[in-house]
Amino acid sequence: VQLQASGGGLVQAGGSLRLSCADSGRIVSRVGWFRQAPGKEREFVAAMSWRGDRKKYADAVKGRFTISRDNLSNTVYLQMNSLKSEDTAVYFCAAGRRGLVSDKQYEYDYWGQGTQVTVSS
């Protein structure tokens, strides 16, 4: 599975961005988004089962971020609204071969390259 993340950029606080993660089409069980801010460890953001029936969000993004997918294009999205300066980070998409939604990094088998999101205050 090859994952390609895109959609990052510079946005003002309160603005929105949509990240995309296209995969090569191999069947996976779960997909997720993680982020790493400067000087901090990578942390969980959002995840969903490949069927889309289960979703999970970090407390810091609940109500502002939405994870979704497009079956036809094998693309997973992260819609980010009401962005805050603390959302500034490199965002990574990930996919796991088995299991349901998870916030654990070690349960993901494939990782895409990161895409930078910078929120100016």
Side-chain angles (χ1 to χ4, degrees), residues 27-30 95-102 107 109:
I27 294 175
V28 295
S29 177
R30 63 165 71 99
R97 289 192 300 266
R98 57 185 61 87
L100 297 175
V101 63
S102 172
E107 293 188 332
D109 305 292

Side-chain angles (χ1 to χ4, degrees), residues 3 29 41 49 61 71 73 88:
L3 303 174
S29 177
E41 293 185 352
S49 58
V61 306
N71 285 345
S73 63
T88 294

